Amino acid sequence: MLREILRQAWSSLRRQPVRSCLTMTGIVWGIVAVTMLLAYGSGFRSVLMRTFEAFGHDAIICWPGTTGEQAGGERAGQKIRFEEADVEALRATATLAKQVCPETVRFVGIEHEERSTSTAVRGVCQQYGEMRNEVPIEGRWLDADDEVSRRHVVFLGATLKKKLFAGMPAVGEAVRIQGARFTVIGVMDRKFQTSSYFTDDDRSAWIPYSTAGDLWDTKSASVLVVEPVSPEFDRQTRAQVLAVLAERQHFSPTDKRAVLMDSMAEFRPIMMGISYGLEFLLLFVGLLTLGIGGVGVMNIMLVTVNERIREIGLRRALGARRRHIRAQFLTEALAITLAGGAVGVLISLGLGAAIGTLPFLGPAYEDTSGRVDIHMQVSWEILLVSVMVLVMVGILSGFVPAMRAARLDPVEALRYE
């Protein structure tokens, strides 16, 4: 039965090849619109989330504030300072904090031969590199021996390295920070990030926290960087960190002004919402375009029903049931839709390969590598969504004509002129 229905559908389409091709054109255009818009949305979300995740592994940045509540006999307005004892207390008692690292920052001059610039020099611990995704493309990151031995070594951001060394190798060379000689041990890979503090990582330099004490006062840290044991425990980790610091520095654990915290996990839902919101908007626009093609299919199928009323009456008189008539016209509508969809998918694959990438964040980062541009890749997931939408449009387009054909009275249909 299915084979016979398909054979009759194909025979019907061949009767009017020009009309069938013109009808399929609307479907082709619609499926190309849906597929390419989904590819654009997927590429946008990929770049947006990659630049967001570049900041670090769900790092929590703790800023010293000023107490706003009186607690333990202490007056409000007390300025909070992050000292070494605070870091030790957190590492010992904050069980939800996987790693804790103090960070001290000064904007000072850094020189190499005739080249010089002023940027953020950041004194950090060994674990900081893993917490903040500081990936070396040359050399290495700071290690424990650098911290213990107070070595004068420095790790450079990609943009800072370019300013000081242009295209020359930097590892093993010497730079001067506030007049003190430092050896370059590593250079960071270009880091495309949508969020930062103090300054972009690409423009920063990192030295051991202990060594920073040779250049400026490091009795209190500028910020504390905390990594929770798991992103799911972000809120609990922040509460625990605040409680430990409150107990040691004698302020209320409910005082939100004492320690200000910026959390990556807190902003992730916002970024996800923006990216998925754009994808749904693009999908909706594509569906409207494909829907217009579906209306064209429905219109042609209604015309076909009017042209074949006597045929329908004859088939009913010979024993065909209503479901057979419905299946016949639904199959014809699906055949037109799927044939146009197949052509549209092939065109989409070709367009995706031809377009390649579209400019997005590349100009903002002065980057020509294309790593932060939108890649128009038509994935299998996108094709699956497109096919599902296509089948739905085909069924909806054929439903009304099929129901009209099935409801025709056989006697009246045979008398139709």
Side-chain angles (χ1 to χ4, degrees), residues 40-84:
Y40 184 90
S42 176
F44 175 88
R45 177 168 54 84
S46 177
V47 174
L48 188 66
M49 295 309 299
R50 186 166 67 250
T51 55
F52 176 77
E53 298 290 351
F55 182 88
H57 296 294
D58 299 291
I60 301 170
I61 311 300
C62 305
W63 302 81
T66 304
T67 57
E69 302 177 13
Q70 292 186 355
E74 300 288 342
R75 62 180 177 83
Q78 176 186 357
K79 189 173 182 179
I80 301 301
R81 298 180 183 276
F82 296 145
E83 300 176 346
E84 184 178 353

Side-chain angles (χ1 to χ4, degrees), residues 214-399:
D214 297 339
L215 304 180
W216 61 78
D217 180 14
T218 57
K219 184 178 180 181
S220 60
S222 303
V223 296
L224 295 180
V225 183
V226 179
E227 180 186 353
V229 292
S230 175
E232 291 77 16
F233 295 106
D234 174 81
R235 187 180 300 275
Q236 297 93 319
T237 302
R238 283 184 284 154
Q240 192 177 71
V241 168
L242 185 63
V244 172
L245 293 174
E247 181 179 358
R248 214 202 71 80
Q249 299 208 26
H250 310 294
F251 63 85
S252 172
T254 61
D255 191 348
K256 302 299 183 181
R257 294 175 56 185
V259 178
L260 310 177
M261 299 186 186
D262 294 328
S263 167
M264 297 302 293
E266 194 175 18
F267 292 105
R268 181 175 288 104
I270 299 174
M271 302 297 288
M272 293 287 286
I274 292 173
S275 60
Y276 279 116
L278 177 64
E279 280 197 87
F280 284 127
L281 175 62
L282 294 175
L283 176 60
F284 179 72
V285 173
L287 287 177
L288 290 179
T289 306
L290 187 56
I292 294 172
V295 171
V297 173
M298 183 183 297
N299 182 54
I300 292 301
M301 292 306 300
L302 287 172
V303 172
T304 302
V305 171
N306 288 332
E307 292 176 346
R308 297 164 61 185
I309 289 179
R310 287 178 61 85
E311 175 191 330
I312 295 169
L314 181 59
R315 292 183 61 192
R316 289 296 308 278
L318 293 174
R321 297 182 178 273
R322 291 180 183 270
R323 66 173 182 272
H324 298 147
I325 303 300
R326 282 197 298 266
Q328 178 65 43
F329 284 91
L330 274 174
T331 303
E332 290 182 20
L334 276 172
I336 294 176
T337 306
L338 293 177
V343 175
V345 166
L346 292 176
I347 293 175
S348 299
L349 291 171
L351 282 175
I355 295 172
T357 59
L358 292 174
F360 183 36
L361 295 179
Y365 288 100
E366 300 179 356
D367 176 71
T368 58
S369 67
R371 286 190 290 172
V372 285
D373 289 331
I374 294 176
H375 295 263
M376 297 291 287
Q377 294 180 346
V378 181
S379 65
W380 288 108
E381 292 83 0
I382 291 175
L383 291 178
L384 179 61
V385 172
S386 299
V387 170
M388 291 172 61
V389 170
L390 190 65
V391 171
M392 180 182 67
V393 169
I395 293 174
L396 292 176
S397 300
F399 182 77

